[in-house]
Every structure is written in C-alpha cells, then in structure tokens.
Amino acid sequence: MGPFRSAPAPLEVWEWAFLAVSTFAAVAIRLPFLDRFPPGGFFDECQNVLVACGILKGELPVFVGEASQMPALYFYPVAASVALFGRNVESVRLVSALAGTAAIPVFYLLARRFFAREVAAAAALVLVGSRWHLNFSRIGFNGILSPLVELLSLLALAKAFESRRALHWALFGASVGIGLQTYYAFNLFPAVLAAAVAAYLFRGGLRSFREDLVPLARGIGLAVAVAVVLLLPLVVFAVRHPETFF
C-alpha cells in the first residue's frame, strides 16, 4: 500500500497569516496579567517554584517525591523561568502559558493532515478559546504540557506514516519518551497511539497488514528504543528508590 498518504501541500500564504494571527490571539489571552488572573497562588504553584529554586542551587533531580511526586523534567523549564523573571507566581505560570500557546499551531498542522484546511483552522480557533485549555494555560501546573506533547506525538507519527523516514520515527519516540515524564494522564496516551497504528495497519484489510507490518515494526522499534533511552534515568531511579517513586 505504501505510505499513509502523500505529504500535505506546503502552507499557503493565508495559512501562514492564520497561524500568526491565531498564535497572537492565544498569546493575548494567555500571557497578560498572570500575577492577577487567576488571583492568588495555588499550593502546587508554590511547591513548583520551591523545586525550581532547588535546581537553581545545583540540585539535578530525575524524580521529585514528597509533595510533588512526579518526574522532574517539568521543573527544569520552570527553573529557567524563575532564573529569568524571579521567584514568583508569574514565572511558573509563564511556562504553562507558553506551552498552551505552542499547542495552537501544532494542532493546526496536525488537523490539516486529515481534514480540509478550513476545518483545521476552525479547530485551532476552538482550541484558542477553549475554556479548559485557557484555564490551565494560566495556572502553573504541569498538566498543560500533556496536550502539547500529545499533539506533537501524533504529528510525528503522521509524518512517520507518510515518509517512513527514521528521523520521524525517532522524533515520535522522543515525543513519547518526553510525554511520559510530564503529567500522569499521558501514561494512558500510548493506548491511543497503539490504536492509531493498528488502524493504519488494517486500513486496506489484510493486504495492507502484510505489506506494512515489517517496515512499521522497524520504525516502531526505533521509536521505542529512543523512548527507552529518554526514560532510562527515570527507570533507574524507580528501581533504586521504589519507596519514593511509588
């Protein structure tokens, strides 16, 4: 059967303009007044700043236990934000706002692979103003990272289906390896990816399954290897410190 489908056409001028405008709109409602809306500071936000301050003092955690109880990857961009903008609630919320904003163009680029460009644009605009997405884009929780990494994983998988290139399979594996170190909700997402792979394999019945099984197995093997390498420090920590990890 060959690749999933031909690669989508290059972005047209109006699409570049749309991406610029929609991303600007996302910035306009996600970044301003982070110190005031929402008011105050949540316990998790304060805890995240404290962990970030520890990183700035020289700590290099792989996993943060006790009150945080999560992989440490999220805290490194928070530490960078704290280093640049100070130890305050805006610094930790800025990471969420940027992650939420970045999801908009990624969502459009993914949607245009499967739907008409007008439909993709409408979907991106819905995400810009989504109450759930906007809310968590303005709060310093790491949960907002999951939608972004999920979109990146699906985009990389679609590219791998189209091109069969090792680079795209490696990027797919990297996005999954990173996603498994964000919010725990991402731990369920590999089931979605497995369903997508199965749907691709059987898109043309048994014939496509027989033709695509071997090349896809190679690509998925590479993706799994990349994900395992990225997850290895966390796995080693879990084996050595089960009382903290579990």
Side-chain angles (χ1 to χ4, degrees), residues 29-30 33 42 46 69 78 83 115 120 138 141 149-150 163 168 172 174 183 187 201 221 224 235 240 242:
I29 59 178
R30 282 165 172 77
F33 309 116
F42 295 93
C46 299
Q69 200 63 29
V78 174
F115 305 100
R138 296 185 61 88
F141 300 164
V149 184
E150 288 166 0
S163 70
H168 295 138
F172 170 57
Y183 190 58
N187 292 352
L201 273 174
V224 170
V235 172
R240 292 181 176 176

PDB file of all heavy atoms in Angstrom, residues 29-30 33 42 46 69 78 83 115 120 138 141 149-150 163 168 172 174 183 187 201 221 224 235 240 242:
ATOM      1  N   ILE A  29      -4.477  36.217  25.234  1.00  0.00           N
ATOM      2  CA  ILE A  29      -5.371  35.826  26.325  1.00  0.00           C
ATOM      3  C   ILE A  29      -4.725  34.841  27.298  1.00  0.00           C
ATOM      4  O   ILE A  29      -5.371  34.436  28.274  1.00  0.00           O
ATOM      5  CB  ILE A  29      -6.683  35.225  25.782  1.00  0.00           C
ATOM      6  CG1 ILE A  29      -6.414  33.991  24.907  1.00  0.00           C
ATOM      7  CG2 ILE A  29      -7.463  36.275  25.017  1.00  0.00           C
ATOM      8  CD1 ILE A  29      -7.693  33.336  24.395  1.00  0.00           C
ATOM      9  N   ARG A  30      -3.476  34.476  27.069  1.00  0.00           N
ATOM     10  CA  ARG A  30      -2.792  33.553  27.970  1.00  0.00           C
ATOM     11  C   ARG A  30      -1.672  34.216  28.770  1.00  0.00           C
ATOM     12  O   ARG A  30      -1.424  33.813  29.912  1.00  0.00           O
ATOM     13  CB  ARG A  30      -2.232  32.359  27.176  1.00  0.00           C
ATOM     14  CG  ARG A  30      -3.295  31.336  26.818  1.00  0.00           C
ATOM     15  CD  ARG A  30      -2.823  30.374  25.744  1.00  0.00           C
ATOM     16  NE  ARG A  30      -3.788  29.291  25.540  1.00  0.00           N
ATOM     17  CZ  ARG A  30      -4.931  29.424  24.871  1.00  0.00           C
ATOM     18  NH1 ARG A  30      -5.242  30.588  24.318  1.00  0.00           N
ATOM     19  NH2 ARG A  30      -5.757  28.388  24.750  1.00  0.00           N
ATOM     20  N   PHE A  33      -1.174  39.614  32.599  1.00  0.00           N
ATOM     21  CA  PHE A  33      -1.712  39.639  33.962  1.00  0.00           C
ATOM     22  C   PHE A  33      -1.697  38.269  34.635  1.00  0.00           C
ATOM     23  O   PHE A  33      -2.636  37.913  35.357  1.00  0.00           O
ATOM     24  CB  PHE A  33      -3.135  40.211  33.960  1.00  0.00           C
ATOM     25  CG  PHE A  33      -3.267  41.522  33.247  1.00  0.00           C
ATOM     26  CD1 PHE A  33      -4.049  41.615  32.099  1.00  0.00           C
ATOM     27  CD2 PHE A  33      -2.585  42.654  33.691  1.00  0.00           C
ATOM     28  CE1 PHE A  33      -4.174  42.827  31.433  1.00  0.00           C
ATOM     29  CE2 PHE A  33      -2.712  43.858  33.022  1.00  0.00           C
ATOM     30  CZ  PHE A  33      -3.501  43.952  31.890  1.00  0.00           C
ATOM     31  N   PHE A  42      -1.794  28.885  43.911  1.00  0.00           N
ATOM     32  CA  PHE A  42      -2.158  27.560  44.383  1.00  0.00           C
ATOM     33  C   PHE A  42      -0.975  26.908  45.086  1.00  0.00           C
ATOM     34  O   PHE A  42       0.190  27.240  44.834  1.00  0.00           O
ATOM     35  CB  PHE A  42      -2.610  26.684  43.215  1.00  0.00           C
ATOM     36  CG  PHE A  42      -3.870  27.152  42.558  1.00  0.00           C
ATOM     37  CD1 PHE A  42      -3.823  27.999  41.451  1.00  0.00           C
ATOM     38  CD2 PHE A  42      -5.112  26.762  43.045  1.00  0.00           C
ATOM     39  CE1 PHE A  42      -4.986  28.438  40.838  1.00  0.00           C
ATOM     40  CE2 PHE A  42      -6.278  27.198  42.438  1.00  0.00           C
ATOM     41  CZ  PHE A  42      -6.218  28.038  41.338  1.00  0.00           C
ATOM     42  N   CYS A  46       3.263  27.104  44.267  1.00  0.00           N
ATOM     43  CA  CYS A  46       4.314  27.460  45.236  1.00  0.00           C
ATOM     44  C   CYS A  46       5.329  26.325  45.372  1.00  0.00           C
ATOM     45  O   CYS A  46       6.545  26.567  45.424  1.00  0.00           O
ATOM     46  CB  CYS A  46       3.687  27.781  46.590  1.00  0.00           C
ATOM     47  SG  CYS A  46       2.550  29.181  46.557  1.00  0.00           S
ATOM     48  N   GLN A  69       5.753  14.584  43.803  1.00  0.00           N
ATOM     49  CA  GLN A  69       5.526  13.206  43.364  1.00  0.00           C
ATOM     50  C   GLN A  69       5.318  13.114  41.852  1.00  0.00           C
ATOM     51  O   GLN A  69       4.296  12.655  41.351  1.00  0.00           O
ATOM     52  CB  GLN A  69       4.320  12.601  44.103  1.00  0.00           C
ATOM     53  CG  GLN A  69       4.304  11.072  44.086  1.00  0.00           C
ATOM     54  CD  GLN A  69       5.504  10.469  44.801  1.00  0.00           C
ATOM     55  OE1 GLN A  69       6.047  11.066  45.730  1.00  0.00           O
ATOM     56  NE2 GLN A  69       5.931   9.299  44.373  1.00  0.00           N
ATOM     57  N   VAL A  78      10.698  25.445  34.390  1.00  0.00           N
ATOM     58  CA  VAL A  78      10.250  26.337  35.458  1.00  0.00           C
ATOM     59  C   VAL A  78      11.459  27.008  36.107  1.00  0.00           C
ATOM     60  O   VAL A  78      11.428  28.216  36.396  1.00  0.00           O
ATOM     61  CB  VAL A  78       9.421  25.566  36.504  1.00  0.00           C
ATOM     62  CG1 VAL A  78       9.089  26.463  37.694  1.00  0.00           C
ATOM     63  CG2 VAL A  78       8.139  25.032  35.885  1.00  0.00           C
ATOM     64  N   ALA A  83      14.786  31.753  37.043  1.00  0.00           N
ATOM     65  CA  ALA A  83      16.091  32.417  36.931  1.00  0.00           C
ATOM     66  C   ALA A  83      15.992  33.720  36.159  1.00  0.00           C
ATOM     67  O   ALA A  83      16.681  34.697  36.468  1.00  0.00           O
ATOM     68  CB  ALA A  83      17.093  31.475  36.267  1.00  0.00           C
ATOM     69  N   PHE A 115      -8.008  16.764   7.559  1.00  0.00           N
ATOM     70  CA  PHE A 115      -9.239  17.462   7.221  1.00  0.00           C
ATOM     71  C   PHE A 115      -8.937  18.629   6.288  1.00  0.00           C
ATOM     72  O   PHE A 115      -7.783  18.982   6.073  1.00  0.00           O
ATOM     73  CB  PHE A 115      -9.933  17.981   8.489  1.00  0.00           C
ATOM     74  CG  PHE A 115     -10.192  16.921   9.518  1.00  0.00           C
ATOM     75  CD1 PHE A 115      -9.349  16.767  10.613  1.00  0.00           C
ATOM     76  CD2 PHE A 115     -11.276  16.063   9.388  1.00  0.00           C
ATOM     77  CE1 PHE A 115      -9.577  15.787  11.555  1.00  0.00           C
ATOM     78  CE2 PHE A 115     -11.518  15.074  10.328  1.00  0.00           C
ATOM     79  CZ  PHE A 115     -10.665  14.939  11.415  1.00  0.00           C
ATOM     80  N   ALA A 120      -9.468  22.590   9.741  1.00  0.00           N
ATOM     81  CA  ALA A 120      -8.323  22.660  10.641  1.00  0.00           C
ATOM     82  C   ALA A 120      -8.225  24.033  11.296  1.00  0.00           C
ATOM     83  O   ALA A 120      -7.932  24.144  12.493  1.00  0.00           O
ATOM     84  CB  ALA A 120      -7.043  22.340   9.877  1.00  0.00           C
ATOM     85  N   ARG A 138      -3.065  29.240  32.194  1.00  0.00           N
ATOM     86  CA  ARG A 138      -2.794  30.375  33.076  1.00  0.00           C
ATOM     87  C   ARG A 138      -2.528  29.937  34.518  1.00  0.00           C
ATOM     88  O   ARG A 138      -2.472  30.783  35.424  1.00  0.00           O
ATOM     89  CB  ARG A 138      -3.959  31.362  33.033  1.00  0.00           C
ATOM     90  CG  ARG A 138      -4.168  32.014  31.663  1.00  0.00           C
ATOM     91  CD  ARG A 138      -5.258  33.075  31.723  1.00  0.00           C
ATOM     92  NE  ARG A 138      -4.888  34.145  32.654  1.00  0.00           N
ATOM     93  CZ  ARG A 138      -4.183  35.234  32.322  1.00  0.00           C
ATOM     94  NH1 ARG A 138      -3.766  35.397  31.065  1.00  0.00           N
ATOM     95  NH2 ARG A 138      -3.887  36.140  33.223  1.00  0.00           N
ATOM     96  N   PHE A 141       0.530  24.538  36.634  1.00  0.00           N
ATOM     97  CA  PHE A 141       0.503  23.087  36.774  1.00  0.00           C
ATOM     98  C   PHE A 141       1.122  22.461  35.529  1.00  0.00           C
ATOM     99  O   PHE A 141       1.014  23.019  34.434  1.00  0.00           O
ATOM    100  CB  PHE A 141      -0.927  22.553  36.921  1.00  0.00           C
ATOM    101  CG  PHE A 141      -1.679  23.074  38.113  1.00  0.00           C
ATOM    102  CD1 PHE A 141      -3.058  22.932  38.185  1.00  0.00           C
ATOM    103  CD2 PHE A 141      -1.034  23.706  39.174  1.00  0.00           C
ATOM    104  CE1 PHE A 141      -3.774  23.411  39.273  1.00  0.00           C
ATOM    105  CE2 PHE A 141      -1.737  24.188  40.267  1.00  0.00           C
ATOM    106  CZ  PHE A 141      -3.108  24.043  40.316  1.00  0.00           C
ATOM    107  N   VAL A 149       2.352  17.789  24.121  1.00  0.00           N
ATOM    108  CA  VAL A 149       3.194  16.644  23.755  1.00  0.00           C
ATOM    109  C   VAL A 149       2.377  15.575  23.049  1.00  0.00           C
ATOM    110  O   VAL A 149       2.874  14.876  22.156  1.00  0.00           O
ATOM    111  CB  VAL A 149       3.910  16.078  24.998  1.00  0.00           C
ATOM    112  CG1 VAL A 149       4.855  14.950  24.602  1.00  0.00           C
ATOM    113  CG2 VAL A 149       4.694  17.165  25.716  1.00  0.00           C
ATOM    114  N   GLU A 150       1.112  15.441  23.410  1.00  0.00           N
ATOM    115  CA  GLU A 150       0.245  14.502  22.687  1.00  0.00           C
ATOM    116  C   GLU A 150       0.092  14.916  21.225  1.00  0.00           C
ATOM    117  O   GLU A 150       0.171  14.066  20.313  1.00  0.00           O
ATOM    118  CB  GLU A 150      -1.118  14.438  23.374  1.00  0.00           C
ATOM    119  CG  GLU A 150      -1.101  13.705  24.702  1.00  0.00           C
ATOM    120  CD  GLU A 150      -2.348  13.929  25.526  1.00  0.00           C
ATOM    121  OE1 GLU A 150      -3.242  14.672  25.066  1.00  0.00           O
ATOM    122  OE2 GLU A 150      -2.435  13.362  26.630  1.00  0.00           O
ATOM    123  N   SER A 163       6.328   9.329   5.511  1.00  0.00           N
ATOM    124  CA  SER A 163       7.671   9.319   4.932  1.00  0.00           C
ATOM    125  C   SER A 163       8.419   8.009   5.134  1.00  0.00           C
ATOM    126  O   SER A 163       9.311   7.681   4.353  1.00  0.00           O
ATOM    127  CB  SER A 163       8.495  10.455   5.537  1.00  0.00           C
ATOM    128  OG  SER A 163       8.796  10.184   6.897  1.00  0.00           O
ATOM    129  N   HIS A 168      11.716  10.672  11.504  1.00  0.00           N
ATOM    130  CA  HIS A 168      10.368  10.900  12.016  1.00  0.00           C
ATOM    131  C   HIS A 168       9.971   9.852  13.053  1.00  0.00           C
ATOM    132  O   HIS A 168       9.281  10.167  14.024  1.00  0.00           O
ATOM    133  CB  HIS A 168       9.373  10.944  10.863  1.00  0.00           C
ATOM    134  CG  HIS A 168       9.606  12.096   9.938  1.00  0.00           C
ATOM    135  ND1 HIS A 168       9.524  11.985   8.564  1.00  0.00           N
ATOM    136  CD2 HIS A 168       9.938  13.390  10.186  1.00  0.00           C
ATOM    137  CE1 HIS A 168       9.785  13.164   8.018  1.00  0.00           C
ATOM    138  NE2 HIS A 168      10.043  14.015   8.975  1.00  0.00           N
ATOM    139  N   PHE A 172       9.073  10.675  16.877  1.00  0.00           N
ATOM    140  CA  PHE A 172       7.890  10.091  17.509  1.00  0.00           C
ATOM    141  C   PHE A 172       8.267   9.458  18.849  1.00  0.00           C
ATOM    142  O   PHE A 172       7.615   9.694  19.880  1.00  0.00           O
ATOM    143  CB  PHE A 172       7.262   9.070  16.574  1.00  0.00           C
ATOM    144  CG  PHE A 172       6.179   8.244  17.203  1.00  0.00           C
ATOM    145  CD1 PHE A 172       5.078   8.858  17.775  1.00  0.00           C
ATOM    146  CD2 PHE A 172       6.266   6.856  17.213  1.00  0.00           C
ATOM    147  CE1 PHE A 172       4.065   8.094  18.356  1.00  0.00           C
ATOM    148  CE2 PHE A 172       5.268   6.095  17.782  1.00  0.00           C
ATOM    149  CZ  PHE A 172       4.164   6.711  18.366  1.00  0.00           C
ATOM    150  N   ALA A 174      10.859  10.144  20.683  1.00  0.00           N
ATOM    151  CA  ALA A 174      11.299  11.184  21.614  1.00  0.00           C
ATOM    152  C   ALA A 174      10.104  11.888  22.248  1.00  0.00           C
ATOM    153  O   ALA A 174      10.098  12.168  23.456  1.00  0.00           O
ATOM    154  CB  ALA A 174      12.177  12.195  20.887  1.00  0.00           C
ATOM    155  N   TYR A 183       2.688  15.018  32.788  1.00  0.00           N
ATOM    156  CA  TYR A 183       1.615  14.703  33.720  1.00  0.00           C
ATOM    157  C   TYR A 183       1.197  13.246  33.553  1.00  0.00           C
ATOM    158  O   TYR A 183       1.291  12.673  32.475  1.00  0.00           O
ATOM    159  CB  TYR A 183       0.425  15.635  33.462  1.00  0.00           C
ATOM    160  CG  TYR A 183      -0.638  15.566  34.518  1.00  0.00           C
ATOM    161  CD1 TYR A 183      -0.337  15.841  35.849  1.00  0.00           C
ATOM    162  CD2 TYR A 183      -1.943  15.236  34.184  1.00  0.00           C
ATOM    163  CE1 TYR A 183      -1.322  15.785  36.826  1.00  0.00           C
ATOM    164  CE2 TYR A 183      -2.937  15.183  35.153  1.00  0.00           C
ATOM    165  CZ  TYR A 183      -2.619  15.447  36.472  1.00  0.00           C
ATOM    166  OH  TYR A 183      -3.585  15.392  37.424  1.00  0.00           O
ATOM    167  N   ASN A 187       0.223   8.851  30.597  1.00  0.00           N
ATOM    168  CA  ASN A 187       0.511   7.419  30.671  1.00  0.00           C
ATOM    169  C   ASN A 187      -0.545   6.583  29.956  1.00  0.00           C
ATOM    170  O   ASN A 187      -0.276   5.443  29.567  1.00  0.00           O
ATOM    171  CB  ASN A 187       0.601   6.979  32.136  1.00  0.00           C
ATOM    172  CG  ASN A 187       1.810   7.564  32.841  1.00  0.00           C
ATOM    173  OD1 ASN A 187       2.674   8.174  32.215  1.00  0.00           O
ATOM    174  ND2 ASN A 187       1.865   7.412  34.152  1.00  0.00           N
ATOM    175  N   LEU A 201      -2.433  -0.024  10.044  1.00  0.00           N
ATOM    176  CA  LEU A 201      -2.051  -1.333   9.526  1.00  0.00           C
ATOM    177  C   LEU A 201      -3.211  -1.999   8.767  1.00  0.00           C
ATOM    178  O   LEU A 201      -3.005  -2.653   7.741  1.00  0.00           O
ATOM    179  CB  LEU A 201      -1.595  -2.233  10.671  1.00  0.00           C
ATOM    180  CG  LEU A 201      -0.121  -2.158  11.066  1.00  0.00           C
ATOM    181  CD1 LEU A 201       0.138  -2.996  12.305  1.00  0.00           C
ATOM    182  CD2 LEU A 201       0.778  -2.618   9.927  1.00  0.00           C
ATOM    183  N   GLY A 221      10.052  -0.038  16.378  1.00  0.00           N
ATOM    184  CA  GLY A 221      11.191  -0.492  17.178  1.00  0.00           C
ATOM    185  C   GLY A 221      12.168   0.640  17.449  1.00  0.00           C
ATOM    186  O   GLY A 221      12.669   0.796  18.579  1.00  0.00           O
ATOM    187  N   VAL A 224      10.535   3.056  19.952  1.00  0.00           N
ATOM    188  CA  VAL A 224      10.579   2.500  21.311  1.00  0.00           C
ATOM    189  C   VAL A 224      11.983   2.631  21.898  1.00  0.00           C
ATOM    190  O   VAL A 224      12.150   2.976  23.071  1.00  0.00           O
ATOM    191  CB  VAL A 224      10.121   1.035  21.308  1.00  0.00           C
ATOM    192  CG1 VAL A 224      10.402   0.376  22.655  1.00  0.00           C
ATOM    193  CG2 VAL A 224       8.638   0.950  20.983  1.00  0.00           C
ATOM    194  N   VAL A 235      13.689   5.253  35.007  1.00  0.00           N
ATOM    195  CA  VAL A 235      13.541   3.834  35.344  1.00  0.00           C
ATOM    196  C   VAL A 235      14.583   3.427  36.385  1.00  0.00           C
ATOM    197  O   VAL A 235      14.275   2.719  37.361  1.00  0.00           O
ATOM    198  CB  VAL A 235      13.670   2.965  34.080  1.00  0.00           C
ATOM    199  CG1 VAL A 235      13.715   1.485  34.446  1.00  0.00           C
ATOM    200  CG2 VAL A 235      12.512   3.243  33.125  1.00  0.00           C
ATOM    201  N   ARG A 240      15.994   1.993  42.014  1.00  0.00           N
ATOM    202  CA  ARG A 240      16.839   2.260  43.181  1.00  0.00           C
ATOM    203  C   ARG A 240      16.081   2.858  44.358  1.00  0.00           C
ATOM    204  O   ARG A 240      16.463   2.669  45.507  1.00  0.00           O
ATOM    205  CB  ARG A 240      17.976   3.202  42.774  1.00  0.00           C
ATOM    206  CG  ARG A 240      18.986   2.581  41.829  1.00  0.00           C
ATOM    207  CD  ARG A 240      20.099   3.570  41.503  1.00  0.00           C
ATOM    208  NE  ARG A 240      21.128   2.964  40.670  1.00  0.00           N
ATOM    209  CZ  ARG A 240      22.181   3.632  40.178  1.00  0.00           C
ATOM    210  NH1 ARG A 240      22.333   4.928  40.453  1.00  0.00           N
ATOM    211  NH2 ARG A 240      23.079   3.007  39.428  1.00  0.00           N
ATOM    212  N   PRO A 242      12.339   2.749  45.082  1.00  0.00           N
ATOM    213  CA  PRO A 242      10.912   2.448  44.902  1.00  0.00           C
ATOM    214  C   PRO A 242      10.045   3.101  45.964  1.00  0.00           C
ATOM    215  O   PRO A 242       8.879   3.412  45.706  1.00  0.00           O
ATOM    216  CB  PRO A 242      10.868   0.909  44.995  1.00  0.00           C
ATOM    217  CG  PRO A 242      12.102   0.544  45.754  1.00  0.00           C
ATOM    218  CD  PRO A 242      13.140   1.550  45.364  1.00  0.00           C
TER     219      PRO A 242
END
